[in-house]
Amino acid sequence: MKSFAFVFPGQGSQAVGMLDAWGDHPAVVETLREASEALGEDIGALIKNGPKEELALTTNTQPVMLVAGVAAWRAWLAEGGATPSVVAGHSLGEYSALVASGVLTLAQAAPLVRFRAQAMQQAVPVGVGAMAAVLGMESGKVVAGCAEATASFGPGSTEIVEAVNFNDPVQTVIAGSKAAVDKACELLKANGAKRALLLPVSAPFHSSLMKPAAEALREKLASVTLAAPQIPVLNNIDVAVETDADRIRDALVRQAAGPVRWVESVQALKLRGVAAIIECGPGKVLAGMVKRIAPDLEAASVYDPATLADTRQSLAG
């Protein structure tokens, strides 16, 4: 059996009907029941029927992506899938990784990510912040362009833009105030970026404008009991594995208003000796990033019974 890591996707991979292919798989049915009970609503109906606009609301997207990742994880175990040597998650996906590791129960995590989503949405009014994906430019130049755009508003200005998701060597997401993000897009394109596309999101996630959300999350997490990890969890903010509950809490707090260091995370997983990185949950976004960051690693996705079977077979080989 090859040594492998499981990684869990975050916002952006959601789709109406994304769990349909599992049919009545007992692990998926039980996951939906648990999450619905914890949230006080039928989360399965929301995932199955949408509408798309409802699913795209941050306060819904975060819980449904958590649930979808955990459902795929539990199905993997139920079908005899081996335990990965390490787990991680992209942004919100880190909460799915913590459930997989046993640090959080699903009943704890579902209301927690909904609270996180609400706090993020409330931190910056809709329309005040923005995010954009910058393509075809190495990240150092994107960071420099953001600093130049922020400085262009002069000293004392509240306009700010920062690099917040380091997704692959030439794809970086930026976030901040709308005017500063627009300015950065203009500068970065002039400086050689292939594209700079505004993203259809409702808040500038992972930027320093999310600090009020991070503080709200700190208060909330203080009352949440965390168990010892059963599988190492590599976090986004420090690209580190923590075992102490207070350090895990602190990393989650800082993650809300700090960058997702995904390129470094994949490189760190590789340094831990894994031969394959498996995306667990809807879509293939992270598997694609893995291939661009570390082409020598095997990358696959587990999002339905067929991909689960294929992945088990390839790992055994």
Side-chain angles (χ1 to χ4, degrees), residues 20-103:
D20 288 359
W22 293 108
D24 292 327
H25 194 292
V28 177
V29 171
E30 175 58 17
T31 300
L32 289 169
R33 186 198 65 74
E34 271 181 56
S36 296
E37 202 170 284
L39 291 165
E41 69 171 277
D42 188 345
I43 202 80
L46 176 62
I47 292 170
K48 186 172 183 62
N49 305 319
K52 183 181 173 183
E53 296 71 28
E54 200 71 18
L55 213 59
L57 293 173
T58 294
T59 50
N60 287 331
T61 308
Q62 295 202 21
V64 301
M65 284 305 298
L66 168 81
V67 170
V70 172
W73 164 253
R74 289 179 173 178
W76 170 263
L77 294 181
E79 297 301 323
T83 303
S85 59
V86 58
V87 292
H90 188 282
S91 182
L92 164 73
E94 195 166 300
Y95 287 80
S96 304
L98 289 165
V99 173
S101 176
V103 174

Side-chain angles (χ1 to χ4, degrees), residues 22 72 75-76 79 301-313:
W22 293 108
W76 170 263
E79 297 301 323
S301 303
V302 172
Y303 53 82
D304 62 14
T307 52
L308 190 156
D310 288 347
T311 301
R312 276 193 68 201
Q313 194 174 356

Side-chain angles (χ1 to χ4, degrees), residues 86-253:
V86 58
V87 292
H90 188 282
S91 182
L92 164 73
E94 195 166 300
Y95 287 80
S96 304
L98 289 165
V99 173
S101 176
V103 174
L104 289 167
T105 65
L106 180 59
Q108 287 175 311
L112 184 58
V113 298
R114 173 149 280 167
F115 176 88
R116 177 182 184 266
Q118 288 166 339
M120 287 178 148
Q121 194 56 77
Q122 288 161 9
V124 180
V126 174
V128 172
M131 298 182 79
V134 181
L135 310 178
M137 176 176 272
E138 66 96 11
S139 60
K141 289 184 178 176
V142 177
V143 171
C146 287
E148 187 185 341
T150 299
S152 73
F153 291 93
S157 169
T158 55
E159 303 292 350
I160 188 168
V161 56
E162 298 155 340
V164 296
N165 286 9
F166 296 90
N167 285 338
D168 73 26
V170 289
Q171 185 200 114
T172 305
V173 174
I174 62 174
S177 57
K178 178 75 168 65
V181 169
D182 286 343
K183 180 69 176 174
C185 287
E186 183 189 310
L187 277 170
L188 291 165
K189 282 193 280 194
N191 290 343
K194 279 186 185 169
R195 299 176 83 185
L197 310 165
L198 283 172
L199 298 176
V201 295
S202 53
F205 302 121
H206 296 292
S207 74
S208 57
L209 296 178
M210 288 287 112
K211 280 181 181 167
E215 287 313 308
L217 195 55
R218 185 184 301 281
E219 206 171 296
K220 184 75 169 175
L221 278 164
S223 63
V224 177
T225 304
L226 305 184
Q230 301 304 299
I231 306 168
V233 182
L234 186 84
N235 70 35
N236 286 179
I237 191 71
D238 300 318
V239 194
V241 171
E242 301 290 0
T243 54
D244 176 75
D246 285 339
R247 290 177 70 90
I248 293 170
R249 280 191 194 90
D250 182 58
L252 287 174
V253 168

